[in-house]
Amino acid sequence: TQQTKIKIKRGPKSCRKLKETRVKSEYMRLRQLKRFRKAEEVKALFQSNRRRIEGRTELLNEEWSKLRIQSIPLSTTSGSLSSKKLCMVESGFPSFPNQAVAMRPLTTVAGIPFMYSWSPLQQNFMVEDETFLHNIPYMGDEVLEQDEAFLEELIDNYDGVHGDREGGFINDEIFKELVEALSQYSDPEEEEEEEPSERTENKEEEDEKGMQKTTPEGPEESKVGFFKRKRRSTAEGEYKDLLEPPSPVKLPPLCTPSMDGPFAKSVQREQSLHSFHTLFCRRCFKYDCFLHPFHASPNVYKRKNKEIRMETEPCGLDCFLLQKGAKEFADQNMQRSQRPRRRRRQPRPSSSCGPTPSGSGEEGKEGDSDHETTSSSEGNSRCPSPAKMRPGEEGVEESDSPPQWSGAEESLFRVLHGTYYNNFCSIARLIGTKTCREVYEFAVKEMLIHRVPLEDGGISPQKKKRKHRQDVNTPLPDNSSNQVYNYQPCDHPEHPCDSSCLCVMTQNFCEKFCQCDRECQNRFPGCRCKTQCNTKQCPCYLAVRECDPDLCMTCGAADHWDSKQVSCKNCSIQRGLKKHLLLAPSDVAGWGTFIKEPVQKNEFISEYCGELISQDEADRRGRIYDKYMSSFLFNLNNDFVVDATRKGNKIRFANHSVNPNCYAKVVMVNGDHRIGIFAKRAIQRGEELFFDYRYSQADALKYVGIEREINIV
Amino acid sequence: MAPQKHGSGGNGFYANSGASKAANGGAHVSSGVVMTSVKRPKMEQVQTDHELFLQAFEKPTQIYRFLRTRNLIAPIFLHRSLTYMSHRNSRTNSKRKCFSVNDLLFKAEKSKVDQESHNMASNLQLTFTGFFHKTEKPLQNSENEENSVSVEVLLVKVCHKKRKDVSCPVKQVPTGKKQVPLNPDSSQTKLGAFPTLVVPSQEFEPSNGHMVKSYSLLFRVSRPGGREHNGVTTRDTSMNVMEELSNRKKRYCSNQDDGETIFVAQMTVFDKNRRLQLLDGEYEVSMQEIEESPVGKKRATWETILDGKWLPPFETFSQGPTLQFTLRWTNDTADRGTAPVAKPLATRNSESSTVDSGKPSNVKPPHAVAVNESVGADLPVRREQTHVEPRQKLRVYYQFLYNNNARQQTEARDDLHCPWCTLNCRKLYSLLKHLKLSHSRFIFNYVPHPKGARIDVSINECYDGSYVGNPQDIHCQPGFAFSRNGPVKRTPVTHFLVCRPKRSKPSLSEFLEPEDGEQEQQRTYISGHNRLYFHSDSCTPLRPQEMDVDSEDETDPAWLREKTVMQIDEFTDVNEGEKEVMKLWNLHVMKHGFIADNQMNQACLLFVEQHSTTIIEKNLCRNILLHLVSMHDFGLVNTGTIDKAMAHLKPQKDGQEQAKTQDDLFKQTKSSKDTFSTSDLRKLKSRKDCLSVKDSASLFAIKHFGLVRFFYIFEQF
């Protein structure tokens, strides 16, 4: 039967062969095209870069020429230097004239040590673990055997090497183009397609065979075969998917339209503030900061201290307070809103955010349907977009609320209501387009509508991130006291900080970022020094912490924001009061760091900045660095390592010495461990800086094994 | 340089001291050495080894020889001011203590009075120190009778020409004849014993018939010792003029004849304008030998003819014949013995006489004829009596080591000159200290020796010649001197001008071979920025005017600003209004580096203040409000701040709204950059902002240009 089958398939096979070659050539052509296009692109980029650089250089040179300074000497063919030294090329043939060009001597320039490129940084920068090896480290032109073994082992540590083609040889773009190109020849194919069932079966079989005999036919064939199969099985759908143009207006479900835009929708408070709440870093005061992968869980932004400035005075003649019953309404809601505050330690504190039970009822629910039911007046918005018009949804109230509320206004009201409660005068002022009377009326209406049972929103779903951020799993700490773990704000609303608290477990103090009570036993009280906080008299200094500008109010850490002169000497890292450092070839090895101005003993010199990487990542990177014999890894705590290889500051060039003039100290600075480099003795200007890398005796080149010198009390 | 002929009487190293070394420089090492440790057996190997040894020592020797010459011509410092060379310093500071400014005036006035008093009223008193003429032998065989010459002094009066006279009439008045010691040793003669001659003042009075035009003294020295026959070799003196005066060579005269030799010299007392030419002082007059007529050469000049050759003027003083005397104008003829004997100014190496003091024939040559104006007792008479006392002749063995083998030993007898720069150190300690400090290309180790000292000389392998001066001096291009555009800044470098370290008592033990563990604390005497710095980003040299700018001063480098913007933009579920606010706020926080919760109220207000135009431009007011409310939710700002911030935005927004052409839609759909289309003053401002962002982008591009290029190359394959 086998034989007959094969015979039968002869016909289609030759046809298929033809098609295969066609596919193959098409594919190669497309790839070629793509490569050319890419090369062109790079060329264009390169040239635009050149132009930019030239422009910039010109600009700089112009600036320089205006200054009273030495200009950069241009190596022009100056006549004065024409010492008539010529470089001649003489040829034996008379017909060729001798060629001569003036020799121009160049002064020797002393070489400088080797340096890999790096980016400047003044604060640590957290990066994720690299599961892919970005490049295979260069080990010299001839690869030694031991290097080869090393590389193999290295690659084993990673999931793969960047640039390896994952998922086959074809990507969506080429696939699409290929199908389009092939559709021109579709005529013979069509005939075959008439008997799809048999064909697919055949194909399958044949492909298997093709796979088996890849060796003689070469990889191309198998590729095509593979491609074909893929195309048969899933290609159709994929292709259709790809053909669909990505809809520009389509937004992910959780994304609310811009409040200032024309498409603003009426949504709940939580939704309006969702992006701000989730992306804001409470510790860096930035959105999506570089240092703290963890962002607020909902109760982090729960208000802690409510200050409600109730305006008892009517704001004007038309103030809502002059209306009948308005004052009572406001007062009543005030009480209500305060009630949940007293019950703060209740299981679902998120619900207490809202001023009224109805205020945050809908949180967590997504989708349009929600809005359509809850915000009845949305249809009245002036939104010009026809798609958003929902005339059918108009509520009954439309008749008795003549002022129309747009979606933005409604959302804004809900947001502000959560902050200002029934201070409708302020709300109106902030909304800007409505009077307080209107606001009041709207509030009354909202109250009626939202009197629905509380729905447990719980934790609203996390923002979808553009990339996966690794969860930092804090390992269970050892009992040994010299282990230092990274600080993470604790968040256990039900019970006070006890042995189950993260901070207590990791032997860290609770910081202002923790969710625990201000009077928590585990909180560090700060200092009340009136001196410089540079002796062990200062509790902060003793605990190897920098003074907290929100805790230590007397030492000066909390004021003089504008000047570099602070009475407290224990807040230099956070303020970045580093010394001016200079870079020059070292007297010892490679590059070195030199100080511009003299410093006193124990003065802060600079922070050792770099990428904050996990210990695992440091192990992987360290392997390569060890091989290169140059490492910028610095152990920060049990969880993290600072790597100044790719990003850093000038102190990264300070060399190791057993008799150093500087020392490194890991200090807790407002919840972050940071590495400060301090003067071990008085240092003269122009001296090279050294500190003890603390290599262990055994593996002086195993850079990660840096022993630390702090013991947090 | 003319070929050098060594003195015939020289015995090795010793005789080679002084001028010959000066002329020969460091080459003497190979010339006046005695081979010691050369063994027969492996001749070739020894030969090559020796070659290598010579090569190793040649270069530093040449360098030090060059440096010596340079130091003679343009000295950087004076050896006499070095602590360990203090004995070279002839003056004391003792008078400084009682110095007052008034003394200067007093002194000046006094000298003026003195000068005036010189006029005809006083007598001219001449005290002869001696007649110096070098001969081959110090005339030991011919004892006393030969040790003096007779000096006759004539006062020559040149009178005014009378009408009939063809030439000026000349009158010679003999004033006296004295026996003057020949080649006396200045250190041994007693002060009072010198012969003195007085020319009475009336001789200078103009009343003697003729009108006298000028007066001059004619010295006539008759020496019984016979005719001079000079064995002086020709020498290249152009280089060592300074040395010649002091390092005189022995000259060898053979006195074969029995006849009397007569030397003459003439000096003007009053010139024709009746100006006094000879002031009080010590004089040394170069004498001219004459044979035929005693008063022959009236126009003897300083240049003397020797063997038919002109010698430079100063040459005579080292060779003689010279007559030394002290001249005083005095009113009192009785105080003849009190004529002070002043020591002439010491030249660089003049103290060499003490070394040779054992030899009676060596005479200390004074500097010039008319030096030492102030004869008074001002100059301290610092005779090295201590050195003169009989002392064991010190031998210094220089042992040159190469590859830990002694290669060569050179002996210096009683000679403490530095072999490289011919500096007379005069003490073994000083010599060693000098060698150690000035010739650091070698290592010198002192080894005590029964006959004196042994100095082991080896090449200093650790010498790196590292530069410790201003880095700008090396690194600035030579052409810079002319390409400067006005005054330029220089790298600040601190040079120690005065350093007073704790000095230990000078002891020879410090030159012994150092123990292993005992490392010398090398101190740099130039601190500060004595190196060239580089920009950390581009590795280009940092010019001095760029020193004060710290590239790390900004807490938000351009790439980081770009990065935060990109990161925010990458979110898919954050709307564009939120994104804009977040970017603005992030850049704001990064720029100002806020660190404390209690800064946030201020930060928000500042934010609104600084970015109000942009906020309104991009229509972000409500998003700002959301941002502020969110901050409030985090407990970072209070409602007052929200109110204030929004109040700040409100009036501007209203103003803007009026200027706005029409609907929001148009604006919203267009990207934020296109909003510049409507011209407004505020918009121009915001465009400026945008430009700066672009700048940073281009910078970023420059930084990553290398990467792009890499890709480009990659694609070429």
Side-chain angles (χ1 to χ4, degrees):
Chain A
T1 51
Q2 277 274 38
Q3 284 222 330
T4 51
K5 253 193 180 175
I6 288 168
K7 260 184 188 169
I8 290 163
K9 269 178 254 150
R10 269 294 134 105
K13 191 167 186 184
S14 64
C15 180
R16 222 195 93 206
K17 197 96 184 172
L18 178 80
K19 248 192 287 175
E20 262 175 19
T21 48
R22 189 186 292 157
V23 168
K24 196 168 141 188
S25 67
E26 250 342 281
Y27 174 71
M28 294 317 271
R29 189 183 63 84
L30 282 173
R31 286 214 44 172
Q32 189 85 2
L33 208 68
K34 212 167 150 62
R35 204 177 298 136
F36 277 139
R37 219 179 297 143
K38 202 167 174 190
E40 285 302 316
E41 241 167 63
V42 171
K43 262 186 226 166
L45 261 180
F46 176 81
Q47 260 152 16
S48 74
N49 247 340
R50 290 291 314 174
R51 250 172 278 129
R52 263 185 199 164
I53 292 165
E54 270 159 27
R56 186 86 196 152
T57 324
E58 230 165 73
L59 215 74
L60 275 175
N61 280 343
E62 216 166 282
E63 263 172 46
W64 281 111
S65 65
K66 279 177 201 149
L67 295 172
R68 313 197 97 211
I69 42 124
Q70 283 177 199
S71 57
I72 303 160
L74 291 168
S75 55
T76 48
T77 38
S78 57
S80 63
L81 249 172
S82 62
S83 52
K84 303 294 179 255
K85 266 194 180 174
L86 292 175
C87 187
M88 297 273 282
V89 178
E90 289 172 30
S91 81
F93 301 101
S95 56
F96 292 105
N98 289 345
Q99 294 180 45
V101 76
M103 280 215 291
R104 204 185 311 149
L106 297 175
T107 45
T108 48
V109 176
I112 50 169
F114 194 77
M115 186 195 283
Y116 287 101
S117 132
W118 53 285
S119 302
L121 198 70
Q122 295 312 318
Q123 262 200 8
N124 290 340
F125 189 105
M126 182 175 276
V127 293
E128 291 165 39
D129 283 11
E130 282 165 1
T131 49
F132 271 86
L133 188 61
H134 272 220
N135 62 308
I136 293 172
Y138 174 71
M139 294 285 171
D141 280 337
E142 63 252 41
V143 181
L144 302 173
E145 252 172 65
Q146 68 212 36
D147 289 339
E148 220 161 333
F150 166 76
L151 286 179
E152 266 169 40
E153 195 192 321
L154 184 78
I155 293 167
D156 281 349
N157 284 335
Y158 289 90
D159 291 346
V161 180
H162 176 80
D164 280 358
R165 298 226 168 76
E166 330 120 47
F169 54 98
I170 194 158
N171 60 16
D172 290 350
E173 204 184 329
I174 289 197
F175 175 62
K176 205 174 129 191
E177 281 172 17
L178 188 57
V179 171
E180 272 160 17
L182 286 175
S183 60
Q184 294 167 4
Y185 312 98
S186 59
D187 296 345
E189 210 170 343
E190 225 106 54
E191 290 164 22
E192 279 168 43
E193 303 253 270
E194 280 165 17
E195 17 174 1
S197 61
E198 200 205 347
R199 275 212 41 77
T200 37
E201 269 171 47
N202 285 351
K203 277 252 157 83
E204 225 109 303
E205 263 174 52
E206 233 175 86
D207 285 339
E208 268 158 51
K209 266 188 196 166
M211 296 300 233
Q212 280 160 6
K213 55 179 178 179
T214 37
T215 24
E217 279 187 85
E220 290 297 333
E221 183 68 15
S222 77
K223 262 187 192 172
V224 177
F226 172 71
F227 166 63
K228 286 226 128 186
R229 186 170 61 171
K230 187 188 172 199
R231 194 177 142 212
R232 282 294 160 210
S233 49
T234 58
E236 304 257 340
E238 249 179 55
Y239 181 61
K240 270 182 187 147
D241 276 354
L242 285 172
L243 281 185
E244 250 176 57
S247 52
V249 274
K250 201 174 151 196
L251 284 168
L254 252 180
C255 182
T256 53
S258 172
M259 194 69 108
D260 286 304
F263 308 110
K265 280 192 294 186
S266 169
V267 291
Q268 287 308 309
R269 182 176 201 270
E270 281 308 303
Q271 283 170 290
S272 303
L273 289 171
H274 188 268
S275 297
F276 289 107
H277 279 167
T278 45
L279 290 182
F280 188 74
C281 175
R282 166 74 183 80
R283 294 158 76 177
C284 300
F285 310 118
K286 280 184 285 207
Y287 290 100
D288 191 37
C289 76
F290 297 128
L291 199 53
H292 306 108
F294 263 120
H295 285 304
S297 62
N299 40 3
V300 172
Y301 47 84
K302 171 190 64 183
R303 276 148 296 143
K304 285 175 184 165
N305 46 344
K306 282 186 191 151
E307 28 115 25
I308 302 140
R309 192 162 50 87
M310 187 61 197
E311 267 178 58
T312 44
E313 292 298 309
C315 62
L317 282 175
D318 296 329
C319 184
F320 78 100
L321 285 171
L322 301 174
Q323 254 185 332
K324 207 181 107 214
K327 201 153 178 140
E328 289 74 42
F329 177 83
D331 291 345
Q332 169 205 10
N333 281 287
M334 270 299 295
Q335 281 165 2
R336 254 202 229 173
S337 67
Q338 270 168 349
R339 201 190 320 135
R341 195 151 59 100
R342 273 180 242 120
R343 300 182 283 129
R344 250 174 65 181
R345 305 256 163 82
Q346 285 196 341
R348 291 289 169 217
S350 59
S351 62
S352 68
C353 297
T356 64
S358 55
S360 58
E362 250 52 58
E363 79 173 341
K365 273 215 168 184
E366 57 158 274
D368 290 358
S369 62
D370 237 3
H371 299 293
E372 277 150 27
T373 51
T374 53
S375 51
S376 49
S377 56
E378 195 186 39
N380 299 335
S381 65
R382 292 172 302 175
C383 175
S385 161
K388 297 281 166 186
M389 288 288 259
R390 291 186 188 88
E393 238 105 33
E394 273 175 31
V396 201
E397 284 92 2
E398 205 220 353
S399 51
D400 40 290
S401 60
Q404 299 193 333
W405 283 67
S406 69
E409 282 164 349
E410 283 180 19
S411 302
L412 213 53
F413 166 77
R414 291 190 195 104
V415 166
L416 292 170
H417 194 227
T419 305
Y420 285 85
Y421 306 111
N422 290 332
N423 192 348
F424 297 124
C425 297
S426 294
I427 293 173
R429 212 172 21 247
L430 290 172
I431 292 177
T433 49
K434 293 278 178 286
T435 64
C436 62
R437 195 184 287 262
E438 287 162 356
V439 172
Y440 165 66
E441 278 161 11
F442 185 76
V444 170
K445 198 171 66 193
E446 286 261 299
M447 287 288 292
L448 293 171
I449 293 158
H450 294 308
R451 197 153 297 204
V452 271
L454 257 180
E455 208 175 311
D456 263 353
I459 299 158
S460 58
Q462 272 277 11
K463 273 276 162 182
K464 206 204 288 167
K465 283 290 175 78
R466 72 237 110 118
K467 49 191 177 184
H468 161 77
R469 276 236 162 120
Q470 60 144 5
D471 258 39
V472 184
N473 50 337
T474 44
L476 279 180
D478 294 354
N479 283 333
S480 48
S481 60
N482 58 349
Q483 303 277 359
V484 178
Y485 293 92
N486 203 42
Y487 161 78
Q488 267 181 39
C490 64
D491 182 14
H492 41 82
E494 285 102 59
H495 47 86
C497 293
D498 50 20
S499 56
S500 66
C501 166
L502 191 65
C503 296
V504 176
M505 279 200 297
T506 55
Q507 291 167 333
N508 282 319
F509 289 110
C510 283
E511 301 284 340
K512 55 190 172 188
F513 316 116
C514 290
Q515 291 308 300
C516 56
D517 197 77
R518 227 167 234 271
E519 276 73 49
C520 166
Q521 285 298 302
N522 195 34
R523 285 230 173 169
F524 190 80
C527 72
R528 274 164 204 82
C529 301
K530 288 184 179 62
T531 50
Q532 304 191 317
C533 299
N534 53 2
T535 61
K536 293 206 171 163
Q537 299 291 314
C538 171
C540 299
Y541 185 87
L542 189 69
V544 206
R545 295 164 55 93
E546 278 210 341
C547 285
D548 188 327
D550 293 314
L551 277 177
C552 313
M553 306 308 287
T554 57
C555 61
D559 21 56
H560 309 298
W561 295 115
D562 297 328
S563 76
K564 288 215 163 189
Q565 292 297 315
V566 195
S567 57
C568 175
K569 298 291 172 216
N570 194 26
C571 58
S572 307
I573 298 179
Q574 52 185 306
R575 288 181 177 231
L577 301 176
K578 60 185 184 322
K579 298 286 177 286
H580 189 162
L581 301 179
L582 296 160
L583 179 73
S586 164
D587 290 340
V588 179
W591 290 96
T593 306
F594 299 82
I595 198 153
K596 181 159 180 272
E597 295 299 332
V599 292
Q600 318 231 302
K601 190 179 174 182
N602 288 330
E603 240 185 293
F604 171 70
I605 289 174
S606 179
E607 184 191 347
Y608 190 93
C609 296
E611 285 180 329
L612 209 59
I613 55 175
S614 70
Q615 289 282 0
D616 290 348
E617 174 73 10
D619 275 347
R620 279 194 294 267
R621 289 190 183 190
R623 244 172 259 260
I624 304 170
Y625 299 155
D626 286 359
K627 202 79 184 170
Y628 277 129
M629 304 288 280
S630 120
S631 169
F632 296 98
L633 291 174
F634 200 118
N635 232 19
L636 187 68
N637 50 35
N638 270 18
D639 304 317
F640 290 106
V641 175
V642 172
D643 180 9
T645 310
R646 303 174 190 177
K647 306 182 179 76
N649 51 2
K650 277 186 224 166
I651 197 73
R652 75 200 274 277
F653 293 108
N655 278 306
H656 167 76
S657 167
V658 285
N659 185 23
N661 50 11
C662 301
Y663 62 91
K665 194 161 74 167
V666 177
V667 188
M668 175 64 93
V669 183
N670 297 334
D672 297 312
H673 281 126
R674 292 165 80 168
I675 304 161
I677 306 291
F678 298 86
K680 201 177 180 190
R681 56 167 171 83
I683 301 175
Q684 304 268 321
R685 72 163 51 88
E687 265 192 73
E688 182 169 358
L689 301 182
F690 298 97
F691 62 92
D692 194 346
Y693 288 3
R694 303 234 158 190
Y695 292 145
S696 53
Q697 204 77 28
D699 44 10
L701 271 173
K702 192 142 169 55
Y703 299 94
V704 276
I706 306 160
E707 113 196 23
R708 267 165 312 96
E709 59 194 282
I710 60 161
N711 281 320
I712 287 198
V713 194
Chain B
M1 199 186 271
Q4 166 73 43
K5 202 165 122 193
H6 292 290
S8 56
N11 50 348
F13 194 67
Y14 173 55
N16 267 337
S17 69
S20 75
K21 227 186 313 174
N24 215 10
H28 92 100
V29 171
S30 48
S31 66
V33 294
V34 184
M35 298 291 291
T36 50
S37 62
V38 183
K39 303 267 171 174
R40 291 287 99 183
K42 291 164 194 164
M43 216 33 207
E44 304 92 29
Q45 198 193 330
V46 169
Q47 201 75 36
T48 51
D49 257 23
H50 189 69
E51 277 300 311
L52 285 173
F53 156 70
L54 286 181
Q55 273 173 24
F57 276 78
E58 188 183 9
K59 193 179 172 193
T61 303
Q62 278 175 350
I63 288 168
Y64 287 129
R65 177 182 158 192
F66 165 77
L67 289 178
R68 171 205 164 267
T69 314
R70 196 178 72 176
N71 204 37
L72 285 180
I73 295 162
I76 302 165
F77 63 92
L78 296 173
H79 285 289
R80 67 164 183 243
S81 44
L82 299 173
T83 328
Y84 58 90
M85 290 281 188
S86 60
H87 48 268
R88 289 179 63 90
N89 198 353
S90 56
R91 74 195 142 74
T92 58
N93 299 332
S94 56
K95 268 186 65 182
R96 283 187 194 167
K97 280 181 189 127
C98 50
F99 173 81
S100 70
V101 186
N102 289 342
D103 289 353
L104 282 177
L105 179 65
F106 179 70
K107 217 160 139 191
E109 277 176 342
K110 195 182 158 203
S111 69
K112 206 172 175 190
V113 171
D114 281 355
Q115 211 145 354
E116 278 162 4
S117 67
H118 280 156
N119 48 25
M120 311 307 120
S122 46
N123 306 321
L124 176 66
Q125 185 188 357
L126 299 168
T127 308
F128 295 99
T129 319
F131 178 71
F132 298 95
H133 193 193
K134 282 171 212 149
T135 50
E136 189 179 50
K137 286 174 190 168
L139 307 177
Q140 285 143 326
N141 46 358
S142 51
E143 299 282 291
N144 293 325
E145 63 269 39
E146 296 275 293
N147 262 347
S148 64
V149 292
S150 73
V151 175
E152 192 187 3
V153 182
L154 301 151
L155 187 64
V156 180
K157 300 178 180 177
V158 180
C159 301
H160 278 289
K161 249 196 289 190
K162 290 196 174 150
R163 222 167 277 146
K164 50 205 180 252
D165 290 344
V166 181
S167 62
C168 292
V170 175
K171 254 201 251 173
Q172 290 193 6
V173 183
T175 52
K177 207 168 187 177
K178 288 285 174 188
Q179 283 297 115
V180 173
L182 173 67
N183 290 340
D185 185 357
S186 56
S187 60
Q188 286 172 351
T189 42
K190 287 154 218 121
L191 294 183
F194 294 120
T196 308
L197 204 144
V198 177
V199 182
S201 59
Q202 54 266 25
E203 287 290 347
F204 299 109
E205 275 160 23
S207 57
N208 296 8
H210 277 88
M211 282 291 288
V212 180
K213 204 164 75 176
S214 63
Y215 298 87
S216 53
L217 287 173
L218 180 71
F219 300 95
R220 185 184 295 167
V221 178
S222 55
R223 183 182 162 187
R227 278 186 39 220
E228 182 96 346
H229 179 70
N230 266 327
V232 177
T233 51
T234 52
R235 307 194 304 156
D236 182 3
T237 51
S238 61
M239 204 183 102
N240 328 316
V241 173
M242 322 223 354
E243 296 292 324
E244 290 309 328
L245 299 173
S246 45
N247 294 338
R248 78 249 77 101
K249 266 192 91 185
K250 285 192 289 181
R251 323 210 46 236
Y252 310 104
C253 304
S254 58
N255 41 355
Q256 303 147 331
D257 277 7
D258 293 321
E260 198 172 71
T261 331
I262 292 174
F263 303 92
V264 287
Q266 194 170 6
M267 291 174 78
T268 307
V269 185
F270 291 99
D271 63 9
K272 60 185 178 202
N273 297 323
R274 290 199 62 79
R275 275 191 304 245
L276 181 63
Q277 294 291 326
L278 291 177
L279 295 175
D280 283 6
E282 199 167 311
Y283 292 83
E284 183 172 12
V285 187
S286 143
M287 307 298 285
Q288 194 73 42
E289 184 184 347
I290 32 168
E291 287 162 34
E292 55 274 22
S293 70
V295 207
K297 291 186 181 172
K298 271 194 286 179
R299 293 175 196 208
T301 54
W302 298 121
E303 289 96 3
T304 355
I305 299 169
L306 261 179
D307 295 345
K309 278 189 179 171
W310 285 93
L311 277 176
F314 294 120
E315 199 71 356
T316 10
F317 294 103
S318 54
Q319 295 163 11
T322 56
L323 180 67
Q324 244 184 30
F325 62 89
T326 311
L327 186 146
R328 280 186 90 202
W329 292 94
T330 174
N331 290 327
D332 183 14
T333 49
D335 60 345
R336 38 172 53 189
T338 58
V341 178
K343 212 174 119 47
L345 275 179
T347 46
R348 198 176 300 271
N349 279 342
S350 68
E351 297 305 334
S352 59
S353 62
T354 55
V355 174
D356 310 344
S357 56
K359 297 198 105 191
S361 71
N362 278 333
V363 185
K364 164 178 46 76
H367 194 199
V369 173
V371 283
N372 227 351
E373 291 284 72
S374 52
V375 160
D378 297 341
L379 272 173
V381 185
R382 269 171 55 117
R383 293 267 27 136
E384 286 79 4
Q385 297 300 338
T386 49
H387 286 270
V388 174
E389 68 194 1
R391 177 188 64 156
Q392 186 198 347
K393 277 185 186 171
L394 192 67
R395 292 189 190 191
V396 182
Y397 299 98
Y398 293 92
Q399 184 160 298
F400 294 89
L401 301 175
Y402 184 71
N403 285 344
N404 282 329
N405 286 326
R407 286 286 157 198
Q408 185 164 304
Q409 190 163 330
T410 305
E411 183 186 337
R413 277 193 198 165
D414 206 25
D415 176 27
L416 291 167
H417 284 81
C418 165
W420 282 271
C421 54
T422 65
L423 176 78
N424 187 1
C425 300
R426 290 174 43 185
K427 283 180 185 166
L428 184 61
Y429 176 81
S430 308
L431 173 68
L432 284 162
K433 195 92 177 168
H434 164 80
L435 290 174
K436 205 171 158 66
L437 295 180
S438 302
H439 304 297
S440 43
R441 285 169 193 271
F442 297 116
I443 297 170
F444 299 97
N445 284 323
Y446 165 69
V447 183
H449 192 272
K451 280 182 181 168
R454 199 185 86 203
I455 301 172
D456 288 344
V457 188
S458 53
I459 298 285
N460 184 3
E461 305 288 351
C462 301
Y463 182 83
D464 59 352
S466 57
Y467 180 74
V468 282
N470 190 335
Q472 229 37 49
D473 294 343
I474 345 172
H475 296 292
C476 74
Q477 304 282 327
F480 265 160
F482 307 104
S483 72
R484 281 193 298 228
N485 189 9
V488 298
K489 201 169 170 179
R490 306 207 322 183
T491 321
V493 176
T494 309
H495 291 260
F496 274 105
L497 292 181
V498 179
C499 175
R500 294 185 202 278
K502 255 188 201 152
R503 280 208 183 90
S504 51
K505 271 243 161 180
S507 137
L508 287 173
S509 61
E510 64 188 273
F511 306 113
L512 295 173
E513 192 158 8
E515 305 284 318
D516 276 341
E518 183 189 338
Q519 272 299 326
E520 221 177 322
Q521 195 64 42
Q522 202 62 43
R523 249 194 90 159
T524 51
Y525 287 97
I526 295 180
S527 79
H529 307 292
N530 53 345
R531 65 186 74 238
L532 185 68
Y533 296 108
F534 290 84
H535 287 286
S536 56
D537 47 357
S538 57
C539 287
T540 50
L542 186 81
R543 279 169 292 170
Q545 58 270 18
E546 298 166 318
M547 272 287 271
D548 293 329
V549 188
D550 190 352
S551 62
E552 298 191 335
D553 255 354
E554 53 175 14
T555 49
D556 52 342
W559 73 269
L560 213 58
R561 275 178 279 157
E562 187 113 351
K563 176 88 179 161
T564 191
V565 167
M566 277 165 60
Q567 275 197 8
I568 300 272
D569 272 336
E570 275 171 21
F571 282 106
T572 51
D573 55 354
V574 179
N575 66 48
E576 64 283 351
E578 291 167 341
K579 278 181 182 173
E580 283 305 315
V581 171
M582 287 175 183
K583 284 186 233 171
L584 275 179
W585 173 256
N586 272 9
L587 293 177
H588 177 68
V589 172
M590 281 162 69
K591 186 177 167 198
H592 292 94
F594 300 114
I595 47 169
D597 291 2
N598 59 32
Q599 281 179 293
M600 280 301 114
N601 284 319
Q602 271 305 309
C604 286
L605 291 178
L606 192 67
F607 176 60
V608 170
E609 224 168 87
Q610 288 180 342
H611 296 92
S612 58
T613 44
T614 327
I615 290 166
I616 290 159
E617 194 61 49
K618 297 186 176 178
N619 192 19
L620 297 170
C621 285
R622 281 171 177 164
N623 276 302
I624 292 288
L625 183 57
L626 288 183
H627 160 72
L628 291 171
V629 168
S630 161
M631 296 276 285
H632 180 265
D633 286 354
F634 280 103
L636 295 173
V637 296
N638 50 35
T639 48
T641 306
I642 301 178
D643 291 342
K644 258 191 251 172
M646 295 314 288
H648 186 268
L649 285 176
K650 188 131 193 193
Q652 300 193 35
K653 196 187 176 190
D654 291 348
Q656 177 101 24
E657 224 122 65
Q658 283 169 11
K660 219 186 265 181
T661 45
Q662 19 173 314
D663 56 336
D664 291 338
L665 184 64
F666 172 69
K667 215 147 205 195
Q668 192 57 41
T669 45
K670 282 198 137 196
S671 78
S672 56
K673 269 180 196 168
D674 293 344
T675 49
F676 303 127
S677 50
T678 48
S679 65
D680 191 338
L681 210 89
R682 281 199 208 103
K683 281 169 196 162
L684 280 177
K685 209 174 166 192
S686 68
R687 167 172 284 166
K688 212 171 162 192
D689 287 349
C690 213
L691 272 180
S692 72
V693 169
K694 262 189 189 163
D695 279 356
S696 76
S698 74
L699 260 184
F700 188 72
I702 289 169
K703 201 154 260 180
H704 291 260
F705 146 71
L707 203 67
V708 173
R709 186 173 53 183
F710 171 73
F711 281 135
Y712 178 72
I713 293 165
F714 189 71
E715 283 295 318
Q716 294 283 305
F717 287 114

